[in-house]
């Protein structure tokens, strides 16, 4: 801040009056009496408040998001989440009874006043495209502020005939389209994370530091840090070193003073490491330069960003001190969903008035529970549960659970449509969509439109950790049974 004193004196005409054109221009601030000279101050605002003014030359950094384009990376084939990704893109996987994974980054953008979003994917994009078009495109933006949420699938072009080779390559192939949005920053997001974040402070920090790239990071303790890509920073928060899943002495060498990024001293001692969230802000010029300079680099985290640091670009760290979970595996996805049932302190809550999670309006009726016993569970819209016991479970929309069932520690994704009774009864041997009477299910994920017969036992009694029985309609991963979408499990089946 520079302090500047400015003084001036000038004869003031008798005819000058407060509010006159001369007064407004700074020619006079008080009516003159008998030709008496009056002190006048000239400032850049042309308003005199004192004979001595302090001028603040510090530029105010805005958190306005009109010039920000969000790019949500839908990921590859989603092999870690298979078979949930067998018939859908990873961001379209159902979440939390009523939602899909893509609703998390889109809602965070809307709550941060970012209304220009692209989602990049190359596998099974039909359901994702349908969900986004029905949920958001008529509600994002205004007449004077263009907004959109669109899916961009991998495609061949005269320039490039390959599929997306990685996160950076996906952006490279559509960089020509992003340039049409006339934005100054690109916000790179992931489609398989569970968290609630206001991106405005993140973007503002990027601008304050005049950074080329800003990386959002979470604090980590030593136990968890070895599973992530870690970063080392200097005293200003600028990233000076990267390490991918280090161990032993290499891990200890990546410890930093996290108070530099705003963590309090007590928690900084507990969490001396910072891990990348896979969320970045790129200045437009930096993005174009890097993707052009490194045409063979296809991944942001492993190649592009370390190369930017090595070539002298300003790569800044931003601390996100909140709940964040990468739910790209079956076990992480399962745990993240059931953790939402915690009545005392859920790690993630969909019940936030200030920053809600949006999704498609389906106009379903309320759920109906007839003589059911439900504890520590979440029930989605339009469900029918009859004389059953539900404990610590997530029951998705349109779920049909017949009498005498026991559902424990299970996520049921529900159905895409209601099936009338006569539709199934008219077909020989038909098993209705939903859970048949007398069935017990424990520690499982039941994908949409599954037809589970009566008196089934889906409990993994033998505690099998891995099994591929796809032809029978299920797979076991990390000890969790996953019933594949549209599968038929006959009456009396034991898994």
């Amino acid at each position: 801040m520079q302090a500047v004193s400015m003084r001036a004196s000038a004869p003031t005409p008798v005819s000058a009056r407060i509010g006159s054109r001369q007064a407004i221009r700074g020619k006079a601030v008080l009516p003159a009496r008998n030709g008496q000279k009056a002190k006048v101050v000239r400032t850049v605002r042309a308003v005199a408040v004192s004979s001595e003014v302090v001028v603040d030359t510090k530029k105010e950094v805005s958190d306005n998001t009109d010039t920000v384009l969000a790019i949500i990376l839908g990921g590859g084939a989603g092999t870690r989440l298979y078979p949930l990704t067998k018939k859908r893109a990873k961001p379209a996987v159902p979440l939390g009874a009523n939602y899909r994974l893509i609703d998390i980054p889109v809602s965070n953008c809307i709550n941060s006043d970012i209304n220009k979003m692209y989602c990049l994917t190359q596998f099974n994009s039909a359901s994702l495209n349908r969900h986004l078009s029905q949920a958001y495109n008529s509600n994002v933006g205004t007449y004077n502020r263009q907004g959109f949420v669109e899916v961009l699938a991998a495609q061949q072009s005269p320039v490039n005939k390959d599929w997306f080779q990685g996160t950076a390559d996906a952006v490279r192939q559509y960089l020509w389209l992003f340039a049409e949005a006339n934005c100054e920053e690109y916000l790179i997001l992931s489609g398989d994370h569970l968290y609630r974040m206001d991106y405005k402070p993140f973007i503002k920090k990027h601008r304050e530091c005049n950074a080329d790239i800003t990386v959002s990071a979470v604090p980590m303790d030593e136990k968890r840090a070895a599973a992530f890509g870690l970063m080392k920073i200097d005293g200003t928060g600028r990233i000076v070193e990267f390490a991918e899943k280090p161990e032993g002495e290499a891990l200890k060498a990546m410890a930093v003073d996290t108070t530099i990024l705003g963590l309090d001293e007590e928690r900084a001692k507990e969490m001396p490491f910072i891990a990348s969230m896979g969320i970045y802000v790129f200045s437009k010029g930096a993005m174009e330069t890097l993707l052009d300079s490194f045409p063979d680099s296809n991944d942001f985290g492993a190649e592009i960003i370390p190369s930017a640091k090595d070539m002298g670009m300003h790569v800044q760290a931003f601390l996100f001190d909140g709940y964040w979970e990468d739910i790209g595996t079956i076990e992480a996805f399962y745990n993240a969903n059931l953790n939402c049932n915690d009545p005392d302190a859920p790690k993630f809550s969909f019940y936030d008035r200030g920053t809600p999670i949006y999704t498609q309006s389906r106009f379903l009726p309320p759920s109906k529970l007839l003589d059911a016993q439900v504890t520590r569970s979440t029930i989605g819209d339009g469900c029918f549960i009859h004389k059953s016991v539900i404990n610590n479970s997530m029951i998705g929309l349109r779920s049909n659970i017949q009498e005498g069932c026991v559902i424990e520690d299970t996520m049921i994704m529900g159905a895409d449509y209601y099936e009338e009774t006569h539709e199934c009864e008219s077909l020989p041997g038909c098993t209705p969509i939903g859970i048949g009477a007398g069935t017990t299910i424990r520690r499982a994920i039941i994908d949409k439109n599954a037809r589970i017969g009566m008196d089934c036992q889906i409990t993994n009694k033998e505690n099998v950790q891995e099994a591929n029985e796809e032809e029978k309609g299920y797979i076991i991963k990390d000890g969790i049974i996953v019933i594949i979408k549209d599968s038929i499990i006959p009456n009396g089946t034991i898994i």
Side-chain angles (χ1 to χ4, degrees):
M1 183 183 295
Q2 294 180 337
V4 181
S5 298
M6 295 180 292
R7 294 183 175 86
S9 59
T12 305
V14 175
S15 60
R17 298 176 181 174
I18 294 179
S20 70
R21 182 173 298 179
Q22 286 181 321
I24 293 173
R25 288 178 177 174
K27 296 293 181 65
V29 294
L30 291 173
R33 295 182 180 177
N34 301 323
Q36 183 181 5
K37 293 183 179 180
K39 291 185 178 179
V40 179
V41 177
R42 296 185 186 275
T43 70
V44 291
R45 298 179 182 175
V47 176
V49 294
S50 170
S51 60
E52 189 169 298
V53 178
V54 176
V55 178
D56 186 359
T57 60
K58 182 179 180 180
K59 184 179 178 181
E60 180 68 24
V61 176
S62 171
D63 62 359
N64 185 283
T65 55
D66 288 344
T67 60
V68 177
L69 175 68
I71 302 170
I72 303 169
L73 302 174
T79 53
R80 296 187 303 161
L81 269 179
Y82 193 85
L84 301 181
T85 53
K86 182 178 181 179
K87 297 183 177 182
R88 59 169 76 90
K90 185 161 55 174
V93 172
L95 171 76
N98 280 357
Y99 306 90
R100 292 179 185 258
L101 287 178
I102 190 65
D103 292 326
I104 300 301
V106 171
S107 297
N108 283 336
C109 284
I110 293 174
N111 293 331
S112 304
D113 292 332
I114 298 171
N115 65 346
K116 293 184 281 289
M117 292 164 263
Y118 284 114
C119 181
L120 274 57
T121 185
Q122 63 183 359
F123 292 95
N124 299 327
S125 60
S127 62
L128 176 63
N129 201 1
R130 181 171 60 248
H131 175 75
L132 290 178
S133 62
Q134 293 176 353
Y136 298 107
N137 271 338
S138 61
N139 301 315
V140 176
T142 62
Y143 177 78
N144 294 320
R145 192 166 180 257
Q146 180 189 10
F148 55 84
V149 184
E150 295 182 9
V151 174
L152 298 177
Q155 62 185 9
Q156 289 185 332
S157 70
V159 178
N160 195 321
K161 300 184 183 299
D162 296 325
W163 290 79
F164 296 153
Q165 302 301 308
T167 55
D169 185 60
V171 174
R172 181 186 290 113
Q173 291 193 31
Y174 274 107
L175 201 58
W176 62 271
L177 180 62
F178 302 151
E180 294 179 0
N182 293 323
C183 289
E184 297 301 320
E185 292 104 357
Y186 295 137
L187 176 63
I188 308 297
L189 305 172
S190 178
D192 59 355
H193 294 169
L194 184 60
Y195 65 109
R196 179 181 273 106
M197 181 177 180
D198 181 1
Y199 298 130
K200 282 188 173 182
F202 184 28
I203 294 164
K204 187 174 182 180
K205 182 68 174 179
H206 176 79
R207 294 170 179 169
E208 286 176 344
C209 297
N210 197 27
D212 296 298
I213 306 169
T214 302
V215 181
S216 187
V218 288
M220 284 279 171
D221 56 23
E222 187 172 350
K223 182 178 179 181
R224 297 180 61 201
F228 291 88
L230 303 182
M231 300 173 292
K232 202 165 187 177
I233 56 174
D234 64 13
T236 65
R238 184 166 178 164
I239 299 173
V240 296
E241 187 179 344
F242 294 90
E244 185 65 24
K245 300 180 180 179
E247 296 180 354
E249 293 301 319
L251 173 61
K252 293 179 180 180
M254 294 302 294
V256 298
D257 180 7
T258 47
T259 60
I260 294 170
L261 299 178
L263 208 63
D264 63 76
E265 291 187 5
E266 183 177 348
R267 295 192 63 233
K269 292 178 181 178
E270 299 172 358
M271 300 183 176
F273 301 93
I274 54 172
S276 171
M277 296 169 61
I279 297 174
Y280 320 109
V281 176
F282 278 78
S283 295
K284 180 182 178 181
M287 176 73 83
E288 293 172 347
T289 298
L290 288 166
L291 294 183
D292 184 59
S293 301
F294 303 98
D296 297 326
S297 296
N298 297 320
D299 188 82
F300 281 123
E303 297 173 295
I304 292 292
I305 296 178
S307 296
K309 186 265 298 182
D310 292 340
M311 67 186 294
M313 283 191 173
H314 185 165
V315 183
Q316 184 73 23
F318 174 84
L319 187 73
F320 174 70
D321 189 19
Y323 173 75
W324 170 82
E325 191 69 42
D326 180 349
I327 48 180
T329 66
I330 290 293
E331 184 177 27
F333 175 80
Y334 171 84
N335 290 332
N337 273 277
L338 294 194
N339 284 339
C340 294
N341 290 330
D342 191 331
D344 299 320
K347 292 183 177 180
F348 183 88
S349 175
F350 291 96
Y351 305 90
D352 191 306
R353 179 180 178 182
T355 53
I357 303 300
Y358 304 96
T359 192
Q360 178 183 346
S361 297
R362 300 178 179 90
F363 307 106
L364 292 173
S367 291
K368 182 181 290 187
L369 283 67
L370 302 178
D371 301 322
Q373 180 181 333
V374 180
T375 57
R376 192 186 167 116
S377 298
T378 302
I379 312 296
D381 296 338
C383 298
F384 180 85
I385 303 174
H386 186 205
K387 292 183 179 179
S388 293
V389 177
I390 313 292
N391 180 43
N392 191 35
S393 296
M394 185 76 68
I395 310 299
L397 45 86
R398 302 188 191 90
S399 289
N400 184 359
I401 301 175
Q402 294 300 317
E403 61 181 295
C405 292
V406 177
I407 312 295
E408 293 182 353
D409 303 324
T410 293
M411 179 181 184
I412 298 176
M413 292 184 176
D416 288 320
Y417 56 90
Y418 285 118
E419 182 179 66
E420 299 292 337
T421 304
H422 65 83
E423 292 181 283
C424 189
E425 289 179 345
S426 61
L427 300 174
C430 176
T431 301
I433 290 178
I435 315 299
T439 290
T440 298
I441 304 176
R442 292 189 177 93
R443 193 169 166 76
I445 298 174
I446 313 298
D447 207 339
K448 280 191 171 183
N449 306 332
R451 300 170 182 268
I452 298 178
M454 297 183 291
D455 300 317
C456 294
Q457 298 290 315
I458 304 175
T459 60
N460 192 13
K461 187 177 179 179
E462 302 298 326
N463 196 27
V464 177
Q465 292 302 301
E466 304 289 332
N468 188 348
E469 300 288 350
E470 192 167 346
E471 70 282 356
K472 296 181 182 179
Y474 71 92
I475 285 177
I476 300 178
K477 280 189 174 183
D478 301 314
I480 301 165
I481 302 170
V482 183
I483 304 298
I484 300 170
K485 184 179 181 182
D486 300 318
S487 292
I488 299 175
I489 307 298
N491 295 342
T493 297
I494 298 176
I495 300 177

